[in-house]
Amino acid sequence: MAEHLSQSELDYPFKLLEYLNGFRISKVIFAACELGVFELLMKSPGALSAQHVAQALDANADGMERLLDALVGIEILEVETADGTALYSSTDVANMYLARGGVKSLHDMVIYQSQTIYPLWNNMTDAVREGKNQNHKTFGIPPEEVFEAIYRSEEETLKFMGLMNSSWILDGQDVVTAFNLSGFQKIMDLGGCTGALARELAKAYPSSSVTVFDFLEIVEIARKHFLQENDTFTFESGDFFLGEVPPADLYVLARIVHDWSEEKCLRLLKKLYHACKPGGGVLLVEAMLLENRRGPIMTQLFSLNMLVQMEGRERPPSQYTMILNQSGFTNVQVCRTGKSYDAILAVK
Ligand code: SAM
Ligand code: ASE
């Protein structure tokens, strides 16, 4: 884009046009993932023609050729032409992140974005008008029951858990080492879902005990589909809004506070304040907005996602600090990791 740098958007709206077509680029990647393009190209010993890819994936050759060309246009695939035939091959990025099954694969994230987030975002205008989530229009589930919508079927539950799991493949280590947590003996990951972050906590702090706390149904699925042989963390089940939470020295709340209204967050954090001893603490793991409201754009988009799907919002550090102080916690420390998710530590 170097040739555009000297020209202003007023002369020609390069950036604006790119933004207006952003959804098309997302859909190109979503369709390729759903069709299995990246697995096929990864496993193939040589470059493949569109005809060959289409046949192998039970698709139309002309449609596939246009899709593959667009993937080349966004530099996710490569193409060479030999004797008039275009031959397509994968790139390292596509093999590592888009093909299914690799240790760093974001395939589950792509599938959730395509099949759940995209339909919800189709109602963005209404969400902004009404100021509430669009689960009713999209899935027929009332707006108060956010996790009933997310967990509306076993298949959807697995897809959501796949999405949650994939974030910590990229950011887990940075988030758990943002602060030295080795002084906390008993660490409880509340709403810990698949255990992906608990695994990173257990690796970074081998002398602490790490427990994942979540709904019984989620714990059962996590044990069955996500637990690995050498995992050392344990599970407990319950509802953190009902009754008491098990005692711990450190409560980890990763992407929990952003799901809920300020009032519900205060209720939960006050409960945690009473459940831990002096010296105990909470670690919030969230994508934090900038205080000057100018970004990061990813976090601003996540906040709109919380509007269309949940009850919560993304917040800047000052708002997390205020909620923590109002719950009784002090010594609030904020660490921006530079990746998608940041960490905030506060103690009793
Ligand atoms: N902490 C995980 C992460 O960041 O990947 C999962 C975050 S997910 C947005 C919220 C998690 O909280 C889900 O696993 C959900 O089942 C759990 N959860 C929601 N409400 C809960 C409640 N009342 N009691 C226990 N767990 C709850
Ligand atoms: C939640 C997080 C998410 C609740 C619903 C959600 C996300 C999507 N839906 O706590 C994650 C946001 N990040 C991405 C990559 O979509």
Side-chain angles (χ1 to χ4, degrees), residues 84-118:
T85 308
L87 294 175
Y88 300 87
S89 56
S90 214
T91 58
D92 292 343
V93 167
N95 286 337
M96 181 172 311
Y97 295 112
L98 295 172
R100 197 175 188 155
V103 283
K104 281 197 169 186
S105 176
L106 300 178
H107 187 269
D108 288 352
M109 186 186 284
V110 174
I111 295 301
Y112 198 81
Q113 308 278 23
S114 178
Q115 297 176 3
T116 301
I117 304 294
Y118 192 90

Side-chain angles (χ1 to χ4, degrees), residues 113 117 160 163-164 255 258-259 302 305-306 309 341:
Q113 308 278 23
I117 304 294
F160 180 75
L163 167 79
M164 290 296 111
R255 295 188 284 190
H258 80 162
D259 287 341
F302 283 1
N305 197 72
M306 291 299 106
Q309 196 177 14
Y341 291 98

Side-chain angles (χ1 to χ4, degrees), residues 237-293:
S237 63
D239 184 324
F240 54 56
F241 283 125
L242 299 176
E244 287 181 14
V245 295
D249 301 311
L250 179 72
Y251 293 103
V252 176
L253 294 172
R255 295 188 284 190
I256 304 297
V257 171
H258 80 162
D259 287 341
W260 307 108
S261 65
E262 187 171 318
E263 179 203 339
K264 271 196 180 168
C265 294
L266 279 168
R267 252 209 290 150
L268 178 58
L269 287 166
K270 282 177 182 166
K271 186 184 290 196
L272 301 185
Y273 183 80
H274 292 294
C276 68
K277 298 196 196 81
V282 289
L283 182 78
L284 307 186
V285 178
E286 300 285 0
M288 286 188 299
L289 290 168
L290 295 174
E291 297 293 345
N292 68 12
R293 316 191 74 96

Side-chain angles (χ1 to χ4, degrees), residues 1-9 11 14:
M1 298 277 160
E3 69 271 24
H4 303 160
L5 285 181
S6 58
Q7 234 177 336
S8 106
E9 284 286 291
D11 296 330
F14 289 107

Side-chain angles (χ1 to χ4, degrees), residues 146-147 150-151 160-161 163-168 189-197 212-216 218-219 236-242 245 252-256 258-260 268 285-286 306 310 341:
V146 289
F147 277 98
I150 286 176
Y151 296 148
F160 180 75
M161 293 175 78
L163 167 79
M164 290 296 111
N165 207 58
S166 59
S167 307
W168 305 128
D189 187 0
L190 288 177
C193 206
T194 65
L197 195 61
V212 166
F213 181 94
D214 213 299
F215 292 127
L216 179 60
I218 300 308
V219 166
E236 277 194 53
S237 63
D239 184 324
F240 54 56
F241 283 125
L242 299 176
V245 295
V252 176
L253 294 172
R255 295 188 284 190
I256 304 297
H258 80 162
D259 287 341
W260 307 108
L268 178 58
V285 178
E286 300 285 0
M306 291 299 106
M310 304 296 288
Y341 291 98

